Amino acid sequence: PGSQGCATVPSVPLQYGLYSSFMGCFVYCLLGTAKDVTLGPTAIMSLLVSSYASHEPVQAVLLAFLSGCVQLAMGLLHLGFLLDFISCPVIKGFTSAASITISFNQIKNILGLQGIPRQFFLQVYEMLRRIGETRAGDAVLGLTCLAVLAGLRAMKSHLPRAVPAGALAVRISHLIVWISGTARNALVVLFAGLVAYSFQVMGSQPFRLTGSIPQGLPAFRPPRFSLAVPNGTVPFQSMVQDMGVGVAVVPLMGLLETIAIAKAFASQNGYRIDPDQELLALGVANVLGSFVSSYPITGSFGRTAVNAQSGVCTPAGGLFTGALVLLSLAYLTSLFYYIPKAALAAVIISAVVPLFDAGIFWTLWRVKRLDLVPLCVTFLLCFWEVQYGIVAGVLVSGILLLYSIARPPIKVSEGSVLLVQPGSSLHFPAVEHLRDCVCSRALAASPPRSVILDCCHVSSIDYTAVLGLAELLQELHRHGLSLAFCGLKDPVLQVLLSADLEGFQHFPSWEEA
């Protein structure tokens, strides 16, 4: 049910959710490094696909192929470290905004409304304007499903640990509650389907149903590199241009989601993961998945949690997951006809609501308020367009990072000489700041004082910084002052000696200087 629900987010036929649910399981079994992770369609990845695939299954499948190629290339080039430049505030801002966006995108199905635009603000306006057109049957069923899902989630979260030596009745009750909580999506959809079928038998249907889903397995064939339209054919180049930055954003966010989930469960279970190996696994899964009409997939938090709670010991658990999906495609698709769209919408809303982290705003306010800037920029712009929010958040985080490099803390102690101690490495953006700080303090003193530059915290230095230090030496020398270095680490000392600076002198410590 979760896979079918995810397919409603990018507005592709529901069978594509199932087509996307098995290849990743088989591939990750062979190439993955985290025993709990399961690859498949997710609500967040589906939201990204909806932004770049124009609701066209052909484009969505091609995007999976291109994303897989990008991820494979990154894995082979060991570029997994690039994820380190996406900060936690950016991730939290994106996931929180995605939670709200996806939920609102599904509310139209809860209310039984059709013809609602995809853009968030237009979506909210149109739903409020047409609230009077709400279908009572869909609304009642959808809200009931939401309440049941919330109740089962709460019941499972408060379930005490099972006691093997406990009474048989207690153990059976514990197992029933655990299964009900773990399989809550399937139980709710099954219940809703039975209700819809009952109404169908009685000759009335108050719900909007999923409808017919083609039975059988998808054909194994390459993705289509052109799109047939009424006026002709859209070539490959135009399709890629339509996707725009999605060709980069989708693979990066897919890897980010997988790594975040894998790290969370790896830390709980005491094992490590390899980001580059995860890239390879995700890349192969997306490339092969595109041959069975899959749209881009990534690590699924819900499925991974079920895996972990079920006691899965190796990635081979994916074999069973994939096999069950294939069996469903082969024999059960006729039963999916009676699944109400409101029930699938409730499943998706229930899955994404926990992604909204209201506490992160207060946490950052207490810990470091400057980090609220990329968080809020990402959060707000994601309501406009997801890609703009992510890119803007990364840029703002990068600017804050560069500012800290360009303006390192500098401690100045006055005495018979001026002791200057940079708080971090010296790179070209920081040179002018250091020169201004030294000159303004050394020359403004009465009388002017020589300078000792304590480099105990400087672990690296670049050529532009060396030139800046040479100019500082000359400027102080013109005023009859000297500049001595102390506490130089070996790599920094080798660079300065190689530069052959005029008047360069260094000492092991500032006391000796």
Side-chain angles (χ1 to χ4, degrees), residues 177-218:
V177 173
W178 182 86
I179 291 175
S180 300
T182 302
R184 57 184 177 271
N185 290 347
L187 291 176
V188 164
V189 169
L190 178 62
F191 161 76
L194 289 174
V195 171
Y197 178 75
S198 300
F199 276 103
Q200 188 84 2
V201 170
M202 290 188 294
S204 65
Q205 189 52 263
F207 312 124
R208 290 178 57 225
L209 302 181
T210 296
S212 299
I213 294 178
Q215 185 165 338
L217 304 180

mmCIF file of all heavy atoms in Angstrom, residues 177-218:
data_model
loop_
_atom_site.group_PDB
_atom_site.id
_atom_site.type_symbol
_atom_site.label_atom_id
_atom_site.label_comp_id
_atom_site.label_asym_id
_atom_site.label_seq_id
_atom_site.Cartn_x
_atom_site.Cartn_y
_atom_site.Cartn_z
ATOM 1 N N VAL A 177 -0.543 -7.257 19.003
ATOM 2 C CA VAL A 177 -0.381 -5.792 18.995
ATOM 3 C C VAL A 177 0.806 -5.401 18.124
ATOM 4 O O VAL A 177 0.738 -4.432 17.335
ATOM 5 C CB VAL A 177 -0.198 -5.260 20.435
ATOM 6 C CG1 VAL A 177 0.147 -3.779 20.419
ATOM 7 C CG2 VAL A 177 -1.455 -5.508 21.254
ATOM 8 N N TRP A 178 1.900 -6.151 18.227
ATOM 9 C CA TRP A 178 3.107 -5.818 17.435
ATOM 10 C C TRP A 178 2.822 -5.948 15.946
ATOM 11 O O TRP A 178 3.178 -5.082 15.156
ATOM 12 C CB TRP A 178 4.254 -6.740 17.842
ATOM 13 C CG TRP A 178 5.527 -6.429 17.116
ATOM 14 C CD1 TRP A 178 6.471 -5.518 17.458
ATOM 15 C CD2 TRP A 178 5.972 -7.028 15.890
ATOM 16 N NE1 TRP A 178 7.483 -5.507 16.519
ATOM 17 C CE2 TRP A 178 7.202 -6.417 15.552
ATOM 18 C CE3 TRP A 178 5.456 -7.999 15.045
ATOM 19 C CZ2 TRP A 178 7.916 -6.762 14.417
ATOM 20 C CZ3 TRP A 178 6.168 -8.347 13.908
ATOM 21 C CH2 TRP A 178 7.387 -7.736 13.605
ATOM 22 N N ILE A 179 2.164 -7.046 15.554
ATOM 23 C CA ILE A 179 1.849 -7.249 14.137
ATOM 24 C C ILE A 179 0.884 -6.165 13.647
ATOM 25 O O ILE A 179 1.049 -5.614 12.554
ATOM 26 C CB ILE A 179 1.255 -8.654 13.905
ATOM 27 C CG1 ILE A 179 2.328 -9.723 14.134
ATOM 28 C CG2 ILE A 179 0.674 -8.775 12.500
ATOM 29 C CD1 ILE A 179 1.806 -11.136 14.053
ATOM 30 N N SER A 180 -0.110 -5.841 14.459
ATOM 31 C CA SER A 180 -1.079 -4.806 14.069
ATOM 32 C C SER A 180 -0.388 -3.458 13.872
ATOM 33 O O SER A 180 -0.689 -2.735 12.919
ATOM 34 C CB SER A 180 -2.172 -4.685 15.137
ATOM 35 O OG SER A 180 -2.863 -5.896 15.291
ATOM 36 N N GLY A 181 0.538 -3.129 14.771
ATOM 37 C CA GLY A 181 1.244 -1.849 14.641
ATOM 38 C C GLY A 181 2.203 -1.837 13.476
ATOM 39 O O GLY A 181 2.309 -0.838 12.751
ATOM 40 N N THR A 182 2.905 -2.952 13.265
ATOM 41 C CA THR A 182 3.901 -3.009 12.188
ATOM 42 C C THR A 182 3.228 -3.046 10.820
ATOM 43 O O THR A 182 3.683 -2.387 9.873
ATOM 44 C CB THR A 182 4.788 -4.256 12.364
ATOM 45 O OG1 THR A 182 5.422 -4.204 13.639
ATOM 46 C CG2 THR A 182 5.851 -4.316 11.275
ATOM 47 N N ALA A 183 2.147 -3.792 10.700
ATOM 48 C CA ALA A 183 1.455 -3.943 9.410
ATOM 49 C C ALA A 183 0.231 -3.034 9.319
ATOM 50 O O ALA A 183 -0.726 -3.340 8.615
ATOM 51 C CB ALA A 183 1.048 -5.399 9.219
ATOM 52 N N ARG A 184 0.264 -1.901 10.019
ATOM 53 C CA ARG A 184 -0.921 -1.034 10.088
ATOM 54 C C ARG A 184 -1.348 -0.528 8.717
ATOM 55 O O ARG A 184 -2.548 -0.396 8.443
ATOM 56 C CB ARG A 184 -0.681 0.133 11.041
ATOM 57 C CG ARG A 184 0.516 1.012 10.706
ATOM 58 C CD ARG A 184 0.736 2.087 11.772
ATOM 59 N NE ARG A 184 1.913 2.881 11.503
ATOM 60 C CZ ARG A 184 3.128 2.577 11.924
ATOM 61 N NH1 ARG A 184 3.322 1.480 12.643
ATOM 62 N NH2 ARG A 184 4.164 3.343 11.632
ATOM 63 N N ASN A 185 -0.392 -0.227 7.836
ATOM 64 C CA ASN A 185 -0.763 0.262 6.498
ATOM 65 C C ASN A 185 -1.587 -0.776 5.746
ATOM 66 O O ASN A 185 -2.636 -0.471 5.169
ATOM 67 C CB ASN A 185 0.494 0.602 5.686
ATOM 68 C CG ASN A 185 1.200 1.839 6.204
ATOM 69 O OD1 ASN A 185 0.642 2.577 7.015
ATOM 70 N ND2 ASN A 185 2.411 2.068 5.753
ATOM 71 N N ALA A 186 -1.100 -2.014 5.758
ATOM 72 C CA ALA A 186 -1.803 -3.082 5.041
ATOM 73 C C ALA A 186 -3.176 -3.339 5.659
ATOM 74 O O ALA A 186 -4.159 -3.537 4.937
ATOM 75 C CB ALA A 186 -0.960 -4.356 5.058
ATOM 76 N N LEU A 187 -3.251 -3.319 6.986
ATOM 77 C CA LEU A 187 -4.533 -3.587 7.657
ATOM 78 C C LEU A 187 -5.569 -2.505 7.333
ATOM 79 O O LEU A 187 -6.735 -2.809 7.052
ATOM 80 C CB LEU A 187 -4.323 -3.670 9.176
ATOM 81 C CG LEU A 187 -3.538 -4.881 9.681
ATOM 82 C CD1 LEU A 187 -3.321 -4.779 11.191
ATOM 83 C CD2 LEU A 187 -4.277 -6.174 9.353
ATOM 84 N N VAL A 188 -5.128 -1.250 7.357
ATOM 85 C CA VAL A 188 -6.058 -0.149 7.081
ATOM 86 C C VAL A 188 -6.540 -0.204 5.638
ATOM 87 O O VAL A 188 -7.729 -0.027 5.352
ATOM 88 C CB VAL A 188 -5.381 1.201 7.400
ATOM 89 C CG1 VAL A 188 -6.147 2.358 6.770
ATOM 90 C CG2 VAL A 188 -5.287 1.405 8.901
ATOM 91 N N VAL A 189 -5.617 -0.447 4.701
ATOM 92 C CA VAL A 189 -6.000 -0.517 3.291
ATOM 93 C C VAL A 189 -6.912 -1.714 3.046
ATOM 94 O O VAL A 189 -7.887 -1.627 2.285
ATOM 95 C CB VAL A 189 -4.738 -0.577 2.401
ATOM 96 C CG1 VAL A 189 -5.109 -0.924 0.968
ATOM 97 C CG2 VAL A 189 -4.002 0.757 2.433
ATOM 98 N N LEU A 190 -6.623 -2.839 3.685
ATOM 99 C CA LEU A 190 -7.483 -4.017 3.558
ATOM 100 C C LEU A 190 -8.887 -3.722 4.077
ATOM 101 O O LEU A 190 -9.897 -4.039 3.431
ATOM 102 C CB LEU A 190 -6.871 -5.187 4.322
ATOM 103 C CG LEU A 190 -7.665 -6.504 4.328
ATOM 104 C CD1 LEU A 190 -7.817 -7.036 2.906
ATOM 105 C CD2 LEU A 190 -6.983 -7.534 5.224
ATOM 106 N N PHE A 191 -8.958 -3.072 5.237
ATOM 107 C CA PHE A 191 -10.263 -2.705 5.817
ATOM 108 C C PHE A 191 -11.025 -1.765 4.882
ATOM 109 O O PHE A 191 -12.216 -1.964 4.598
ATOM 110 C CB PHE A 191 -10.025 -2.047 7.178
ATOM 111 C CG PHE A 191 -11.189 -1.232 7.678
ATOM 112 C CD1 PHE A 191 -12.311 -1.853 8.212
ATOM 113 C CD2 PHE A 191 -11.163 0.156 7.599
ATOM 114 C CE1 PHE A 191 -13.382 -1.094 8.673
ATOM 115 C CE2 PHE A 191 -12.223 0.907 8.052
ATOM 116 C CZ PHE A 191 -13.346 0.288 8.592
ATOM 117 N N ALA A 192 -10.319 -0.747 4.368
ATOM 118 C CA ALA A 192 -10.971 0.219 3.477
ATOM 119 C C ALA A 192 -11.428 -0.451 2.191
ATOM 120 O O ALA A 192 -12.513 -0.161 1.666
ATOM 121 C CB ALA A 192 -10.016 1.364 3.163
ATOM 122 N N GLY A 193 -10.606 -1.376 1.671
ATOM 123 C CA GLY A 193 -10.990 -2.089 0.455
ATOM 124 C C GLY A 193 -12.225 -2.947 0.663
ATOM 125 O O GLY A 193 -13.107 -3.027 -0.214
ATOM 126 N N LEU A 194 -12.307 -3.597 1.821
ATOM 127 C CA LEU A 194 -13.492 -4.413 2.115
ATOM 128 C C LEU A 194 -14.754 -3.557 2.231
ATOM 129 O O LEU A 194 -15.826 -3.935 1.752
ATOM 130 C CB LEU A 194 -13.269 -5.193 3.420
ATOM 131 C CG LEU A 194 -12.237 -6.336 3.353
ATOM 132 C CD1 LEU A 194 -11.997 -6.920 4.737
ATOM 133 C CD2 LEU A 194 -12.717 -7.422 2.394
ATOM 134 N N VAL A 195 -14.611 -2.383 2.849
ATOM 135 C CA VAL A 195 -15.756 -1.468 2.960
ATOM 136 C C VAL A 195 -16.205 -1.027 1.568
ATOM 137 O O VAL A 195 -17.411 -1.033 1.244
ATOM 138 C CB VAL A 195 -15.394 -0.254 3.833
ATOM 139 C CG1 VAL A 195 -16.501 0.808 3.763
ATOM 140 C CG2 VAL A 195 -15.155 -0.685 5.275
ATOM 141 N N ALA A 196 -15.228 -0.647 0.711
ATOM 142 C CA ALA A 196 -15.570 -0.201 -0.645
ATOM 143 C C ALA A 196 -16.223 -1.331 -1.443
ATOM 144 O O ALA A 196 -17.182 -1.105 -2.196
ATOM 145 C CB ALA A 196 -14.315 0.302 -1.354
ATOM 146 N N TYR A 197 -15.692 -2.540 -1.290
ATOM 147 C CA TYR A 197 -16.263 -3.686 -2.007
ATOM 148 C C TYR A 197 -17.701 -3.953 -1.549
ATOM 149 O O TYR A 197 -18.578 -4.274 -2.359
ATOM 150 C CB TYR A 197 -15.392 -4.921 -1.783
ATOM 151 C CG TYR A 197 -15.922 -6.170 -2.451
ATOM 152 C CD1 TYR A 197 -15.805 -6.335 -3.826
ATOM 153 C CD2 TYR A 197 -16.551 -7.176 -1.704
ATOM 154 C CE1 TYR A 197 -16.293 -7.480 -4.450
ATOM 155 C CE2 TYR A 197 -17.040 -8.308 -2.316
ATOM 156 C CZ TYR A 197 -16.905 -8.459 -3.695
ATOM 157 O OH TYR A 197 -17.406 -9.584 -4.311
ATOM 158 N N SER A 198 -17.948 -3.808 -0.257
ATOM 159 C CA SER A 198 -19.298 -4.022 0.274
ATOM 160 C C SER A 198 -20.290 -3.041 -0.341
ATOM 161 O O SER A 198 -21.401 -3.420 -0.736
ATOM 162 C CB SER A 198 -19.287 -3.872 1.799
ATOM 163 O OG SER A 198 -18.417 -4.800 2.392
ATOM 164 N N PHE A 199 -19.880 -1.779 -0.454
ATOM 165 C CA PHE A 199 -20.756 -0.783 -1.075
ATOM 166 C C PHE A 199 -20.975 -1.104 -2.547
ATOM 167 O O PHE A 199 -22.078 -0.916 -3.086
ATOM 168 C CB PHE A 199 -20.163 0.625 -0.923
ATOM 169 C CG PHE A 199 -20.483 1.286 0.385
ATOM 170 C CD1 PHE A 199 -19.541 1.359 1.396
ATOM 171 C CD2 PHE A 199 -21.739 1.830 0.612
ATOM 172 C CE1 PHE A 199 -19.831 1.968 2.612
ATOM 173 C CE2 PHE A 199 -22.043 2.441 1.820
ATOM 174 C CZ PHE A 199 -21.088 2.510 2.831
ATOM 175 N N GLN A 200 -19.913 -1.587 -3.213
ATOM 176 C CA GLN A 200 -20.030 -1.927 -4.633
ATOM 177 C C GLN A 200 -21.051 -3.051 -4.829
ATOM 178 O O GLN A 200 -21.864 -3.013 -5.760
ATOM 179 C CB GLN A 200 -18.661 -2.362 -5.175
ATOM 180 C CG GLN A 200 -18.600 -2.550 -6.675
ATOM 181 C CD GLN A 200 -18.345 -1.248 -7.396
ATOM 182 O OE1 GLN A 200 -18.177 -0.213 -6.784
ATOM 183 N NE2 GLN A 200 -18.335 -1.303 -8.727
ATOM 184 N N VAL A 201 -21.014 -4.043 -3.958
ATOM 185 C CA VAL A 201 -21.955 -5.157 -4.044
ATOM 186 C C VAL A 201 -23.388 -4.679 -3.843
ATOM 187 O O VAL A 201 -24.327 -5.162 -4.488
ATOM 188 C CB VAL A 201 -21.593 -6.241 -3.003
ATOM 189 C CG1 VAL A 201 -22.693 -7.286 -2.897
ATOM 190 C CG2 VAL A 201 -20.272 -6.904 -3.369
ATOM 191 N N MET A 202 -23.561 -3.675 -2.973
ATOM 192 C CA MET A 202 -24.897 -3.150 -2.685
ATOM 193 C C MET A 202 -25.393 -2.187 -3.767
ATOM 194 O O MET A 202 -26.510 -1.688 -3.687
ATOM 195 C CB MET A 202 -24.910 -2.455 -1.325
ATOM 196 C CG MET A 202 -24.764 -3.428 -0.161
ATOM 197 S SD MET A 202 -25.000 -2.636 1.449
ATOM 198 C CE MET A 202 -23.596 -1.555 1.509
ATOM 199 N N GLY A 203 -24.548 -1.896 -4.747
ATOM 200 C CA GLY A 203 -24.974 -1.070 -5.868
ATOM 201 C C GLY A 203 -24.721 0.414 -5.717
ATOM 202 O O GLY A 203 -25.200 1.207 -6.525
ATOM 203 N N SER A 204 -23.978 0.841 -4.713
ATOM 204 C CA SER A 204 -23.615 2.263 -4.565
ATOM 205 C C SER A 204 -22.136 2.345 -4.214
ATOM 206 O O SER A 204 -21.574 1.411 -3.638
ATOM 207 C CB SER A 204 -24.456 2.922 -3.475
ATOM 208 O OG SER A 204 -24.163 2.344 -2.216
ATOM 209 N N GLN A 205 -21.520 3.465 -4.555
ATOM 210 C CA GLN A 205 -20.090 3.620 -4.282
ATOM 211 C C GLN A 205 -19.802 5.065 -3.853
ATOM 212 O O GLN A 205 -19.683 5.957 -4.690
ATOM 213 C CB GLN A 205 -19.263 3.263 -5.518
ATOM 214 C CG GLN A 205 -17.757 3.193 -5.266
ATOM 215 C CD GLN A 205 -17.411 2.287 -4.092
ATOM 216 O OE1 GLN A 205 -17.215 2.755 -2.977
ATOM 217 N NE2 GLN A 205 -17.360 0.973 -4.353
ATOM 218 N N PRO A 206 -19.673 5.308 -2.532
ATOM 219 C CA PRO A 206 -19.426 6.679 -2.055
ATOM 220 C C PRO A 206 -17.966 7.099 -2.107
ATOM 221 O O PRO A 206 -17.640 8.231 -1.733
ATOM 222 C CB PRO A 206 -19.919 6.617 -0.607
ATOM 223 C CG PRO A 206 -19.666 5.202 -0.194
ATOM 224 C CD PRO A 206 -19.853 4.364 -1.428
ATOM 225 N N PHE A 207 -17.083 6.194 -2.539
ATOM 226 C CA PHE A 207 -15.650 6.491 -2.529
ATOM 227 C C PHE A 207 -15.094 6.563 -3.957
ATOM 228 O O PHE A 207 -15.617 5.910 -4.866
ATOM 229 C CB PHE A 207 -14.874 5.406 -1.768
ATOM 230 C CG PHE A 207 -15.472 5.048 -0.435
ATOM 231 C CD1 PHE A 207 -15.811 3.731 -0.155
ATOM 232 C CD2 PHE A 207 -15.686 6.017 0.525
ATOM 233 C CE1 PHE A 207 -16.361 3.385 1.070
ATOM 234 C CE2 PHE A 207 -16.235 5.684 1.758
ATOM 235 C CZ PHE A 207 -16.579 4.360 2.029
ATOM 236 N N ARG A 208 -14.017 7.345 -4.098
ATOM 237 C CA ARG A 208 -13.242 7.315 -5.343
ATOM 238 C C ARG A 208 -12.224 6.185 -5.220
ATOM 239 O O ARG A 208 -11.403 6.179 -4.302
ATOM 240 C CB ARG A 208 -12.542 8.653 -5.583
ATOM 241 C CG ARG A 208 -13.507 9.781 -5.946
ATOM 242 C CD ARG A 208 -12.789 11.114 -6.121
ATOM 243 N NE ARG A 208 -11.760 10.983 -7.150
ATOM 244 C CZ ARG A 208 -10.517 11.467 -7.015
ATOM 245 N NH1 ARG A 208 -10.160 12.080 -5.913
ATOM 246 N NH2 ARG A 208 -9.649 11.322 -7.980
ATOM 247 N N LEU A 209 -12.296 5.239 -6.161
ATOM 248 C CA LEU A 209 -11.467 4.033 -6.070
ATOM 249 C C LEU A 209 -10.205 4.156 -6.906
ATOM 250 O O LEU A 209 -10.095 4.988 -7.819
ATOM 251 C CB LEU A 209 -12.275 2.816 -6.534
ATOM 252 C CG LEU A 209 -13.575 2.534 -5.764
ATOM 253 C CD1 LEU A 209 -14.241 1.288 -6.321
ATOM 254 C CD2 LEU A 209 -13.312 2.388 -4.275
ATOM 255 N N THR A 210 -9.257 3.283 -6.578
ATOM 256 C CA THR A 210 -7.994 3.232 -7.322
ATOM 257 C C THR A 210 -8.238 2.872 -8.783
ATOM 258 O O THR A 210 -7.626 3.428 -9.688
ATOM 259 C CB THR A 210 -7.061 2.186 -6.679
ATOM 260 O OG1 THR A 210 -6.744 2.610 -5.363
ATOM 261 C CG2 THR A 210 -5.796 2.025 -7.493
ATOM 262 N N GLY A 211 -9.132 1.941 -9.025
ATOM 263 C CA GLY A 211 -9.428 1.526 -10.392
ATOM 264 C C GLY A 211 -8.545 0.380 -10.842
ATOM 265 O O GLY A 211 -7.779 -0.196 -10.070
ATOM 266 N N SER A 212 -8.653 0.065 -12.111
ATOM 267 C CA SER A 212 -7.940 -1.100 -12.656
ATOM 268 C C SER A 212 -6.434 -0.852 -12.704
ATOM 269 O O SER A 212 -5.972 0.232 -13.068
ATOM 270 C CB SER A 212 -8.441 -1.414 -14.071
ATOM 271 O OG SER A 212 -9.820 -1.726 -14.036
ATOM 272 N N ILE A 213 -5.683 -1.872 -12.326
ATOM 273 C CA ILE A 213 -4.225 -1.851 -12.411
ATOM 274 C C ILE A 213 -3.808 -3.027 -13.276
ATOM 275 O O ILE A 213 -4.254 -4.160 -13.043
ATOM 276 C CB ILE A 213 -3.584 -1.957 -11.019
ATOM 277 C CG1 ILE A 213 -3.909 -0.704 -10.188
ATOM 278 C CG2 ILE A 213 -2.085 -2.132 -11.117
ATOM 279 C CD1 ILE A 213 -3.355 -0.744 -8.785
ATOM 280 N N PRO A 214 -2.986 -2.794 -14.316
ATOM 281 C CA PRO A 214 -2.593 -3.894 -15.207
ATOM 282 C C PRO A 214 -1.960 -5.049 -14.428
ATOM 283 O O PRO A 214 -1.100 -4.837 -13.575
ATOM 284 C CB PRO A 214 -1.571 -3.237 -16.150
ATOM 285 C CG PRO A 214 -1.884 -1.779 -16.092
ATOM 286 C CD PRO A 214 -2.396 -1.512 -14.719
ATOM 287 N N GLN A 215 -2.402 -6.248 -14.719
ATOM 288 C CA GLN A 215 -1.867 -7.421 -14.035
ATOM 289 C C GLN A 215 -0.634 -7.921 -14.768
ATOM 290 O O GLN A 215 -0.511 -7.796 -15.973
ATOM 291 C CB GLN A 215 -2.915 -8.536 -13.977
ATOM 292 C CG GLN A 215 -2.462 -9.738 -13.159
ATOM 293 C CD GLN A 215 -3.629 -10.649 -12.813
ATOM 294 O OE1 GLN A 215 -4.771 -10.214 -12.812
ATOM 295 N NE2 GLN A 215 -3.342 -11.906 -12.522
ATOM 296 N N GLY A 216 0.290 -8.495 -14.006
ATOM 297 C CA GLY A 216 1.490 -9.074 -14.604
ATOM 298 C C GLY A 216 2.724 -8.252 -14.316
ATOM 299 O O GLY A 216 2.658 -7.098 -13.868
ATOM 300 N N LEU A 217 3.862 -8.877 -14.597
ATOM 301 C CA LEU A 217 5.147 -8.230 -14.336
ATOM 302 C C LEU A 217 5.488 -7.257 -15.463
ATOM 303 O O LEU A 217 5.107 -7.467 -16.618
ATOM 304 C CB LEU A 217 6.239 -9.295 -14.221
ATOM 305 C CG LEU A 217 5.998 -10.389 -13.173
ATOM 306 C CD1 LEU A 217 7.162 -11.364 -13.162
ATOM 307 C CD2 LEU A 217 5.794 -9.782 -11.797
ATOM 308 N N PRO A 218 6.222 -6.180 -15.145
ATOM 309 C CA PRO A 218 6.614 -5.236 -16.197
ATOM 310 C C PRO A 218 7.620 -5.876 -17.148
ATOM 311 O O PRO A 218 8.411 -6.741 -16.749
ATOM 312 C CB PRO A 218 7.246 -4.076 -15.418
ATOM 313 C CG PRO A 218 7.726 -4.696 -14.147
ATOM 314 C CD PRO A 218 6.736 -5.778 -13.820
#
